[in-house]
């Protein structure tokens, strides 16, 4: 090899060793930066998780409230059924929950039933911490039912709904069947049955002349309000209608008569025989 080249090589090595150099540790810096940087969370995933948690919370609230009122309805229906079967003695809340198999309710729901729901329910009667069913008419036997119907008849209050009797009279079907013809059934237009007292003292023959006089009095032109007012002045109370009120149909407005045709003045009357009509095109010459 050329000795001159060898000398230049040695000089280059010496210069290279004499000049200091700083190495950059890229691997170490990259690892440190990865440690310092926090992982980015996807905004869409976070927002979806928030929405799902909010929806789950609202669903849980609705489910809990629905479950509470479902328990209340089950308790009221059970108390009504046992009252209709003749079990009229009062029960504690624990006994009711045991008999309705609602043993999995929380203490908060139990306090709600005890302090709010059952106390304010119109079909539940509270007596010394115990609960019983509260019907519209508390009837013990068939005699009590007959007295109720007789009272309504004497006071002019009309009849009593069959469903109210079935609600308040234990074993009502047997009692009604035992009374026989002492009760009259009337079916309303809405197919609800009403019980009336059959007063047999009112079953008598009326003379034909009196019937003719009664029927000869015209009342078609007299309004019902005036008849009721006249009866009140005479000290007679009229029977109030217990059936559903008839809703008068809404009268449609009559359409206004069509507008009159407008007459326009015609001009050039003196040229009526000379002018031709070109609305359908130019007339063909014959």
């Amino acid at each position: 090899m050329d000795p001159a080249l060898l000398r230049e090589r040695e000089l280059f090595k010496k210069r290279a060793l004499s000049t200091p150099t700083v190495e950059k540790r890229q691997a170490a810096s990259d690892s440190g930066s990865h440690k310092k940087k926090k992982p980015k969370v996807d905004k869409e995933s976070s927002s979806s998780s928030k929405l799902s948690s909010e929806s789950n919370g609202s669903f849980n609230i609705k489910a809990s409230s629905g479950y509470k009122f479902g328990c209340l309805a089950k308790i009221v229906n059970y108390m009504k059924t046992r009252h209709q079967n003749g079990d009229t003695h009062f029960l504690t809340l624990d006994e009711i929950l045991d008999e309705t198999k609602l043993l999995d309710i929380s203490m908060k729901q139990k306090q709600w039933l005890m302090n709010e729901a059952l106390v304010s329910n119109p079909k539940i009667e509270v007596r010394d911490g115990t609960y019983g069913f509260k019907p519209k008419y508390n009837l013990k036997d068939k005699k009590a039912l007959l007295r109720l119907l007789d009272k309504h008849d004497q006071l002019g209050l009309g009849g009593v709904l069959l469903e109210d009797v079935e609600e308040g009279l234990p074993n009502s079907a047997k009692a009604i069947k035992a009374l026989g013809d002492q009760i009259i059934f009337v079916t309303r237009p809405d197919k609800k049955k009403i019980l009336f007292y059959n007063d047999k003292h009112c079953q008598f023959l009326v003379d034909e002349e009196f019937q003719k006089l009664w029927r000869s009095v015209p009342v078609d032109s007299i309004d019902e309000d005036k008849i009721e007012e006249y009866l009140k002045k005479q000290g007679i109370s009229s029977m109030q209608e217990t059936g559903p009120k008839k809703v008068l149909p809404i009268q449609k407005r009559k359409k206004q008569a069509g507008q009159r045709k407008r007459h326009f003045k015609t001009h050039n009357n003196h040229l009526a025989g000379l002018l031709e009509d070109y609305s359908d095109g130019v007339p063909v010459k014959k």
Side-chain angles (χ1 to χ4, degrees):
M1 191 173 182
D2 190 2
L5 293 175
L6 291 173
R7 284 196 298 270
E8 288 181 3
R9 179 182 178 188
E10 292 295 330
L11 291 171
F12 177 76
K13 285 183 178 180
K14 288 179 181 180
R15 286 197 302 270
L17 291 172
S18 63
T19 56
T21 58
V22 179
E23 295 181 354
K24 295 181 180 180
R25 297 180 181 180
Q26 295 179 356
S29 61
D30 291 343
S31 62
S33 63
H34 282 300
K35 288 181 181 179
K36 290 180 181 180
K37 289 181 180 180
K38 293 183 180 180
K40 294 182 180 180
V41 181
D42 191 3
K43 292 183 179 180
E44 294 181 357
S45 62
S46 62
S47 62
S48 62
S49 62
K50 286 181 180 179
L51 290 172
S52 62
S53 62
E54 290 176 0
S55 62
N56 289 332
S58 62
F59 176 76
N60 291 332
I61 292 171
K62 291 180 181 178
S64 61
S65 62
Y67 179 73
K68 286 197 305 182
F69 287 103
C71 293
L72 176 61
K74 187 175 182 180
I75 290 172
V76 174
N77 289 331
Y78 172 74
M79 298 299 287
K80 177 181 177 180
T81 303
R82 67 185 295 275
H83 182 88
Q84 291 173 338
N85 294 332
D87 298 332
T88 57
H89 61 279
F90 282 51
L91 299 174
T92 61
L93 182 58
D94 292 331
E95 291 173 342
I96 294 172
L97 296 177
D98 185 25
E99 294 187 13
T100 53
K101 298 179 181 180
L102 294 173
L103 301 174
D104 57 340
I105 65 172
S106 62
M107 183 58 66
K108 186 177 181 180
Q109 293 171 345
K110 189 176 179 181
Q111 292 292 331
W112 176 75
L113 288 170
M114 187 183 300
N115 299 327
E116 296 181 28
L118 294 176
V119 176
S120 59
N121 194 286
K123 291 296 180 182
I124 298 296
E125 183 179 355
V126 185
R127 188 185 299 171
D128 298 330
T130 57
Y131 305 90
F133 186 69
K134 185 180 180 181
K136 186 175 181 179
Y137 304 108
N138 195 2
L139 306 170
K140 294 181 179 179
D141 49 20
K142 61 181 181 181
K143 292 182 179 178
L145 172 59
L146 201 62
R147 286 195 297 269
L148 174 66
L149 295 176
D150 187 15
K151 181 180 178 182
H152 274 241
D153 182 64
Q154 295 294 332
L155 298 176
L157 300 175
V160 179
L161 282 170
L162 176 61
E163 58 186 29
D164 291 338
V165 174
E166 291 175 342
E167 182 185 77
L169 178 61
N171 303 315
S172 59
K174 293 181 180 179
I176 292 171
K177 188 176 180 180
L179 290 174
D181 61 348
Q182 298 182 67
I183 296 176
I184 299 175
F185 284 90
V186 176
T187 304
R188 287 195 328 198
D190 58 355
K191 297 183 180 180
K192 289 187 177 182
K193 292 184 178 181
I194 306 177
L195 275 63
F196 289 88
Y197 177 68
N198 187 11
D199 191 357
K200 295 183 179 180
H201 295 288
C202 297
Q203 296 177 1
F204 54 87
L205 296 174
V206 181
D207 190 53
E208 292 183 3
E209 292 184 3
F210 184 76
Q211 292 181 21
K212 290 178 181 179
L213 289 171
W214 176 268
R215 291 167 183 166
S216 64
V217 178
V219 292
D220 295 337
S221 60
I222 303 176
D223 189 10
E224 290 184 0
D225 295 334
K226 292 182 179 179
I227 295 174
E228 187 175 355
E229 184 180 355
Y230 175 78
L231 291 174
K232 285 182 179 179
K233 288 180 180 179
Q234 302 300 323
I236 303 171
S237 60
S238 60
M239 184 182 295
Q240 300 297 324
E241 186 179 358
T242 57
K245 295 182 178 179
K246 294 182 180 180
V247 180
L248 296 175
I250 300 172
Q251 294 181 354
K252 295 182 178 179
R253 292 182 179 180
K254 294 182 179 180
K255 294 183 179 180
Q256 295 181 356
Q259 294 181 353
R260 295 179 180 179
K261 293 183 178 180
R262 301 175 70 179
H263 297 282
F264 297 94
K265 292 182 179 180
T266 56
H267 303 280
N268 300 329
N269 291 331
H270 60 286
L271 300 174
L274 300 175
L275 297 176
E276 294 182 2
D277 187 8
Y278 289 93
S279 58
D280 296 331
V282 180
V284 180
K285 294 182 179 180
K286 293 181 181 180

